Amino acid sequence: SEPSENQKFCLQEVLDTFKLCLSDSKEVYLEHYVAGWRGLIKFLNCLGSVFGFISKDAVNKIQILVNYLNGENGPHYVTMQSMVKYELENDLVDLTKRGSHSESGCRTLLRLHRALRWLELFLERLRTSTEDSKTSNMCCEAYNESLAQHHPWVIRKAAGMAFCVLPGRAAFFEVMNVGTPEQVVAMLGEALPLISEVYQITEELYKEHNMLDLP
Ligand code: 1PZ
């Protein structure tokens, strides 16, 4: 269940949301995907205001998707698969250059999808890290292997500066509020395959429709 506002934040509950994302036929429910992101943003906000420019962009993208979900065409946005089909069939996606559909569900979700890869790489590093590992290094390496390839220089620069002020591993684990470092590692070990599966399914879907480079 969703953590309420006055309850203390716990990353486990957020990562559990990703369990709810997959239907029996391995379609991805947008509602739960977006809820997972909401929780991650909450976590990011707990880390400090320097991450504001990152969470602002993510919140903005989440809102775009929520508006589609709650809008008159909402039923088409129940799963990623139905969204892709609906937007493509109705020419609602700018495929090669930005035009009148610069805020399509497909291009918006693609940005979050790329960020999910960063999350996967970062959490895997955290999981296998040792006491003296630096969160900023792990974060930076994960970023360079994923999101950075899609970001212009200014954003890479700003992201790099934000990574430098990340709390150390011990403090970071505490904000996660899962328990001892051993419990954090165990939790990550359970959550990562779920995140990875959601990522892979989305990646395949976008690849299949030639949409991995949407402007
Ligand atoms: C724990 C430390 C957090 C580090 C997060 C690493 C990601 C750094 C991303 C910095 C990007 C911020 C500014 C926005 C950039 C946008 O230009 C891009 C492309 O969107 P477009 O311009 O095409 O509309 N936005 C993104 O790439 C989406 C980034 C979402 C990042 C969400 C991070 C959530 C972190 C959760 C922490 C557990």
Side-chain angles (χ1 to χ4, degrees):
S1 65
E2 193 93 328
S4 70
E5 291 300 321
N6 52 0
Q7 241 175 322
K8 230 183 140 197
F9 178 88
C10 176
L11 193 67
Q12 170 122 46
E13 302 186 43
V14 173
L15 298 183
D16 281 348
T17 322
F18 285 97
K19 267 186 212 158
L20 302 172
C21 277
L22 291 181
S23 76
D24 294 335
S25 57
K26 302 282 180 193
E27 296 203 11
V28 184
Y29 293 119
L30 218 51
E31 184 192 351
H32 297 299
Y33 189 82
V34 159
W37 275 107
R38 275 228 174 92
L40 288 169
I41 300 311
K42 230 183 196 179
F43 176 70
L44 186 62
N45 289 337
C46 293
L47 294 177
S49 52
V50 257
F51 303 102
F53 78 105
I54 301 174
S55 69
K56 215 174 138 197
D57 182 70
V59 165
N60 182 36
K61 290 183 163 54
I62 289 167
Q63 195 55 50
I64 291 172
L65 294 174
V66 167
N67 290 345
Y68 284 127
L69 254 176
N70 296 335
E72 54 180 332
N73 296 311
H76 295 294
Y77 287 84
V78 169
T79 68
M80 271 182 204
Q81 286 74 3
S82 64
M83 174 189 81
V84 165
K85 184 171 187 292
Y86 168 73
E87 288 196 343
L88 285 179
E89 282 178 355
N90 292 279
D91 290 320
L92 296 172
V93 187
D94 292 338
L95 294 170
T96 50
K97 59 176 182 6
R98 292 193 80 158
S100 51
H101 304 292
S102 59
E103 294 204 331
S104 67
C106 287
R107 73 83 64 190
T108 303
L109 188 112
L110 177 63
R111 270 57 187 177
L112 295 176
H113 168 66
R114 289 168 176 168
L116 196 66
R117 176 68 180 154
W118 163 80
L119 184 76
E120 183 188 353
L121 293 171
F122 176 57
L123 294 181
E124 177 57 20
R125 280 181 165 78
L126 263 187
R127 188 182 73 81
T128 54
S129 64
T130 55
E131 241 168 280
D132 56 345
S133 301
K134 295 254 178 302
T135 46
S136 52
N137 288 346
M138 295 187 265
C139 195
C140 190
E141 287 166 11
Y143 177 73
N144 288 339
E145 279 180 33
S146 57
L147 270 179
Q149 295 162 21
H150 305 284
H151 287 163
W153 184 86
V154 255
I155 302 268
R156 292 202 304 267
K157 205 75 196 159
M161 292 188 320
F163 299 158
C164 290
V165 295
L166 272 180
R169 183 177 179 269
F172 199 90
F173 277 11
E174 242 160 72
V175 181
M176 289 170 127
N177 195 29
V178 171
T180 63
E182 292 73 28
Q183 286 170 309
V184 172
V185 167
M187 186 276 285
L188 289 176
E190 278 180 42
L192 271 162
L194 296 169
I195 292 174
S196 178
E197 187 176 17
V198 170
Y199 177 85
Q200 284 310 331
I201 290 172
T202 313
E203 181 77 5
E204 283 306 313
L205 177 68
Y206 272 73
K207 198 184 279 173
E208 189 186 314
H209 292 93
N210 250 316
M211 295 205 300
L212 284 168
D213 294 305
L214 291 182

